[in-house]
């Protein structure tokens, strides 16, 4: 057996698993790994952004676009502590990345060497990171690496994907042992689980009996790459589809059966259909508070009056919030294929859902009539709708939109029409500011031939402005649209709405005269070598975006958006004990809708 250095074994295993990039930041703890990556630089590329948070968001977005993972590399102590937040984003949204962290030499464990965390246990970084990864491995000898590497990769990609941590002490990078490269691990979706025949026939019985069925699809459908099966199933049976943000585009959202997102910031037809449905078939979707109007019955959903078929690969999601009538532990694509096979010989009647379709059409027309006028308006500062619409007009169907957190995201969740899966990136479960602005770099590396646009708030962008340096250093042509409303406006609005109109710490002001303040983002961008424009009139946005996308280089558009125009709420969101607001658009559930027998 050849004697191999630990760092070389790691590098070779990444390469054997077709990992093309390591996104990482140096530190004394990981220089041994850097040396190995240097030797293999023709086969695996190191990209070094200016903050570990960015590295992990990049890896997260890369996976969401390609469904293939990359690795991050951070040093011991503070560098690795900086990836806790983006790992939380990744695990909350079932996104995979291999977070290689360095630790102190094993011979110094528990002596408090530089940057060791050891209050309760030696070299205790795995305990810091534990809640935000599927598993943390800490091989303390080179002969432990083959198993740890194989198990890390397999854990990350099997079942419900998620980030995994490989914590490597300094000496384990350096030392050599007689070790063999383990076999590569299976890629995402290599193993798929299905429902039992009884479950499938019981599901189809319920589905064919339903008069008002809806499908609710989430990231599980995207991850399972079940877009074709979903589209076929929805169209064959005429079942409308509600999407969570990370499920958007699995059914082309211009399809009349696509109802959009549900919840406070959802589309009105989705909330109407959700709360009036007699059967919900939820696939790879969680009923989180924001997509379930904080579980208050009658706003977005109306369980237990409505029957529920809930399908997920993760048993902990089945029945978390609503006990299903049929809970199915299965992969989304396999389940849909099984449904299609079971439905075909039963020959369902084509017009069985005529009345339901008529209701849905009515809600879609009402919503269209209510919202359309604002999309046509020009204004300064710019109305939010205009930006969403112009992005939709300018960007091709395969462009990748990286949403950040805040008001802008609310508008995109409500009105963006994703045409394909894996084109709309959302930090949904954890909502980490900076995900969109940073993730765009990873998304572009994952899809170099497609336009990538980050829509990021002024607050989000100022958390990670150094993404521009990375774009220049590695020539990553991303367009950042900074949704500039001079404050943390999504939070300001909660503050104003719930606390008697007071504002503190939620808007950006300059000095004692309280003038709205922000840096000149365009000048800031130019200082980093990135082209930029400031846009204050809505007439100028579309052309500027076209220009920026066509330029095919890093580009910043600083867009001044009206902070006083709020997305219409069509569901509710509650933060107990503060009172919630009734939806501005949409009726509460009417008790006249009979439960299914
Ligand atoms: C890292 C992080 N810090 C704080 C928050 C809480 N938070 C959510 S939205 C928001 C404001 C976002 O501001 P901006 O990017 O300007 O977007 P806006 O709401 O103004 O459109 C804050 C502070 C968060 N989600 N993530
Ligand atoms: Mg803002």
């Amino acid at each position: 057996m050849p004697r191999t250095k630990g760092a070389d074994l790691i590098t070779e295993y990444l390469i054997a698993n077709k990992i093309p990039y390591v996104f990482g930041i140096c530190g004394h703890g990981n220089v041994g790994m850097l040396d190995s990556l240097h030797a293999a630089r023709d086969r695996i590329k190191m990209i070094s952004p200016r903050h570990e948070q960015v590295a992990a968001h990049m890896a997260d977005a890369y996976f969401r676009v390609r469904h293939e993972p990359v690795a991050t590399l951070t040093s011991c102590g503070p560098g690795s502590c900086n990836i806790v937040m983006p790992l939380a984003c990744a695990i909350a949204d079932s996104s995979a990345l291999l977070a290689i962290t360095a630790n102190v030499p094993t011979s110094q464990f528990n002596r408090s060497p530089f940057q060791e965390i050891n209050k309760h246990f030696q070299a205790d970084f795995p305990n810091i990171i534990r809640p935000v990864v599927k598993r943390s491995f800490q091989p303390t000898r080179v002969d432990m690496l083959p198993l740890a590497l194989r198990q890390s990769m397999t854990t990350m990609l099997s079942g419900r994907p998620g980030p995994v941590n490989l914590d490597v002490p300094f000496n384990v990078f350096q030392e050599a042992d007689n070790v063999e490269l383990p076999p590569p691990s299976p890629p995402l979706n290599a193993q798929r689980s299905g429902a039992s025949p009884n479950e499938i026939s019981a599901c189809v019985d319920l589905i064919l009996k339903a008069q008002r069925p809806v499908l609710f699809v989430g990231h599980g459908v995207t991850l399972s790459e079940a877009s074709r099966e979903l589209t076929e199933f929805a169209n064959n049976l005429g079942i409308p589809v509600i999407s969570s943000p990370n499920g958007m585009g699995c059914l082309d959202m211009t399809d009349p059966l696509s109802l959009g997102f549900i919840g406070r910031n959802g589309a009105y037809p989705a909330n109407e259909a959700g709360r009036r449905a007699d059967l919900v078939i939820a696939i790879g979707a969680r009923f989180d508070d924001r997509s379930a109007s904080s579980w208050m019955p009658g706003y977005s959903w109306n369980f237990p009056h409505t029957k529920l078929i809930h399908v997920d690969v993760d048993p902990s999601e089945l029945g978390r919030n609503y006990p299903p009538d049929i809970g199915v532990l299965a992969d989304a694509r396999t389940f849909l294929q099984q449904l299609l096979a079971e439905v075909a010989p039963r020959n369902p009647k084509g017009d069985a859902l005529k009345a339901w379709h008529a209701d849905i059409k009515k809600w879609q027309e009402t919503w269209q009539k209510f919202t359309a006028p604002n999309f046509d308006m020009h204004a300064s500062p710019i109305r939010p709708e205009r930006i969403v619409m112009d992005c939709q007009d300018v960007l091709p169907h395969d462009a990748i939109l990286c949403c950040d957190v805040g008001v802008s995201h609310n508008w995109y969740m409500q009105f963006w029409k994703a045409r394909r899966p894996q084109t709309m990136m959302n930090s949904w479960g954890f909502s980490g500011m900076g995900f969109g602005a940073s993730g765009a770099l990873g998304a572009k590396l994952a899809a170099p031939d497609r336009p990538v646009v980050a829509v990021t708030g002024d607050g989000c962008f100022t958390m990670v402005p150094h993404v521009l340096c990375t774009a220049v250093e590695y020539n990553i042509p991303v367009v950042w649209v900074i949704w500039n409303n001079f404050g943390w406006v999504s939070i300001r609005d909660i503050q104003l709405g719930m606390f008697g109109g007071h504002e503190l710490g939620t808007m950006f002001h300059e000095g004692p005269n309280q003038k709205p303040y922000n840096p000149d983002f365009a000048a800031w961008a130019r200082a980093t070598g990135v082209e930029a424009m400031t846009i204050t009139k809505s007439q100028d946005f579309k052309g500027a975006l076209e220009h920026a996308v066509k330029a095919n280089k890093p580009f910043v558009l600083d867009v001044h958006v009206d902070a006083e125009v709020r997305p219409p709420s069509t569901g509710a969101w509650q933060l107990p004990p503060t009172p919630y607001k009734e939806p501005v658009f949409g009726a509460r559930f009417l008790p006249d809708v009979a439960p299914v027998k």
Side-chain angles (χ1 to χ4, degrees):
M1 233 188 280
R3 281 186 74 77
T4 309
K5 259 178 78 173
D8 292 341
L9 195 75
I10 297 171
T11 300
E12 290 307 323
Y13 195 61
L14 298 181
I15 293 168
N17 279 276
K18 302 194 171 64
I19 290 185
Y21 291 110
V22 174
F23 301 151
I25 291 194
C26 60
H28 78 276
N30 64 21
V31 284
M33 188 67 213
L34 290 180
D35 197 48
S36 174
L37 289 170
H38 178 264
R41 64 191 179 285
D42 295 340
R43 295 180 294 145
I44 186 164
K45 190 164 180 201
M46 166 90 178
I47 304 255
S48 185
R50 301 298 180 107
H51 194 294
E52 290 83 358
Q53 177 197 348
V54 174
H57 284 321
M58 285 171 66
D60 177 349
Y62 184 99
F63 176 78
R64 293 180 199 228
V65 170
R66 284 186 82 92
H67 288 172
E68 293 162 3
V70 291
T72 59
L73 175 65
T74 49
S75 190
C76 47
S80 287
C81 285
N82 268 344
I83 64 169
V84 173
M85 188 281 259
L87 287 176
C89 292
I91 199 159
D93 286 344
S94 318
S95 183
L97 65 113
L98 180 65
I100 304 172
T101 54
N103 216 320
V104 301
T106 51
S107 56
Q108 296 181 352
F109 272 22
N110 220 18
R111 301 185 72 168
S112 267
F114 184 48
Q115 297 182 335
E116 183 191 34
I117 288 160
N118 58 18
K119 202 77 191 155
H120 300 280
F121 198 76
Q122 62 209 20
D124 207 10
F125 185 72
N127 246 335
I128 289 192
I129 210 168
R130 192 160 78 155
V132 295
V133 289
K134 274 181 94 173
R135 181 70 202 256
S136 178
F137 296 87
Q138 192 185 54
T140 47
R141 294 157 51 121
V142 176
D143 66 2
M144 292 167 74
L145 266 179
L147 186 66
L149 282 167
R150 185 171 63 75
Q151 290 184 342
S152 300
M153 203 72 74
T154 307
T155 305
M156 174 170 73
L157 295 176
S158 57
R160 182 179 184 172
V164 164
N165 171 225
L166 185 72
D167 189 62
V168 186
F170 183 87
N171 51 306
V172 177
F173 289 127
Q174 308 303 327
E175 287 161 3
D177 205 340
N178 297 329
V179 282
E180 279 199 43
L181 199 63
S185 87
L188 184 74
N189 293 322
Q191 297 124 350
R192 294 179 182 269
S193 55
S196 73
N198 286 350
E199 284 170 333
I200 289 295
S201 105
C203 287
V204 171
D205 289 347
L206 265 190
I207 291 168
L208 295 184
K209 207 164 67 173
Q211 290 165 2
R212 300 184 302 279
V214 295
L215 281 149
F216 177 39
V217 301
H219 203 193
V221 176
T222 309
L223 287 165
S224 156
E225 300 178 355
S227 166
R228 209 180 43 173
E229 289 77 3
L230 172 75
T231 306
E232 190 180 338
F233 182 71
N235 280 309
N236 285 2
L237 278 91
I239 302 181
V241 176
I242 296 171
S243 312
S244 82
N246 287 323
M248 285 187 181
C250 285
L251 175 69
D252 181 338
M253 292 181 81
T254 60
D255 188 313
L257 285 172
S258 171
L259 305 185
F261 176 57
I262 190 163
R264 183 188 64 166
N265 290 107
Y268 170 69
N271 277 309
E272 280 288 32
R275 60 191 160 219
R276 290 167 190 277
D278 60 0
L279 172 69
V280 174
I281 309 146
I283 309 181
R286 312 182 287 119
F287 292 95
D288 69 290
D289 58 336
R290 292 197 291 165
S291 69
S293 289
S294 301
W295 310 290
M296 293 186 288
Y299 285 88
S300 291
W301 309 106
N302 198 32
F303 304 113
H305 291 297
T306 305
K307 293 249 185 243
L308 174 62
I309 296 173
H310 197 172
V311 186
D312 208 289
V313 284
D314 182 353
S316 65
E317 292 303 342
L318 298 180
R320 184 196 288 281
N321 288 306
Y322 300 119
D325 294 277
I326 306 180
V328 182
L329 203 56
D331 160 65
R333 186 158 99 185
T334 309
F335 175 76
L336 283 160
Q337 284 167 344
Q338 288 177 299
L339 282 191
L340 283 163
E342 174 78 16
V343 164
R346 297 210 205 180
N347 236 344
K349 277 206 298 201
D351 61 350
L353 304 179
K354 217 164 132 197
W356 185 226
H357 290 158
D359 283 344
I360 283 165
K361 191 151 180 254
K362 195 178 65 197
W363 297 325
Q364 285 171 325
E365 283 166 3
T366 308
W367 182 234
Q368 169 71 11
K369 212 164 117 199
F370 176 73
T371 52
N374 296 332
F375 281 85
D376 288 337
M377 228 181 261
H378 277 297
S380 175
I382 302 170
R383 272 196 76 99
E385 295 93 330
R386 194 79 221 177
I387 303 177
V388 181
M389 191 176 79
D390 288 346
C391 283
Q392 198 88 58
D393 282 353
V394 168
L395 299 178
H397 296 176
D398 68 347
I400 296 165
L401 182 75
C402 291
C403 297
D404 230 309
V405 172
V407 173
S408 60
H409 192 212
N410 292 341
W411 284 100
Y412 279 84
M413 283 192 294
Q414 199 162 38
F415 292 106
W416 184 251
K417 290 195 189 310
R419 308 298 304 272
R420 297 186 189 174
Q422 294 154 261
T423 57
M424 187 196 190
M425 309 290 115
N426 306 275
S427 176
W428 180 241
F430 209 65
S431 238
M433 289 173 68
F435 166 82
S438 319
L441 292 169
K444 186 69 188 177
L445 293 170
D449 300 331
R450 293 155 59 187
V452 174
V453 174
V455 177
T456 175
D458 49 331
C460 287
F461 185 79
T462 36
M463 287 204 173
V464 290
H466 39 75
V467 290
L468 303 182
C469 311
T470 308
V472 172
E473 286 176 271
Y474 295 94
N475 189 22
I476 307 175
V478 162
V479 178
W480 286 270
V481 171
I482 301 177
W483 186 287
N484 187 355
N485 52 18
F486 292 82
W488 321 108
V489 170
S490 44
I491 310 301
R492 179 208 62 173
D493 284 351
I494 299 175
Q495 195 176 46
L496 295 186
M498 289 182 176
F499 295 92
H502 305 137
E503 185 273 312
L504 177 69
T506 53
M507 293 301 281
F508 305 143
H509 291 124
E510 180 192 336
N513 61 10
Q514 292 291 289
K515 249 180 44 202
Y517 165 79
N518 249 333
D520 178 342
F521 287 112
W524 201 359
R526 281 184 215 112
T528 65
V530 169
E531 269 196 52
M533 287 186 210
T534 307
I535 293 146
T536 55
K537 293 203 304 282
S538 49
Q539 287 87 338
D540 298 339
F541 177 67
K542 191 172 177 184
L545 182 63
E546 266 162 0
H547 174 78
V549 169
K550 219 178 271 165
N552 199 28
K553 47 178 142 167
F555 217 112
V556 164
L557 300 177
D558 172 18
V559 186
H560 292 206
V561 186
D562 197 330
E564 307 309 324
V565 181
R566 294 161 180 90
S569 68
T570 59
W573 192 47
Q574 187 183 27
L575 294 169
T578 47
Y580 58 90
K581 289 228 165 106
E582 286 295 324
V584 297
F585 194 82
R588 261 201 76 182
F589 169 73
L590 308 173
D592 60 333
V593 179
V596 203
K597 299 261 163 38

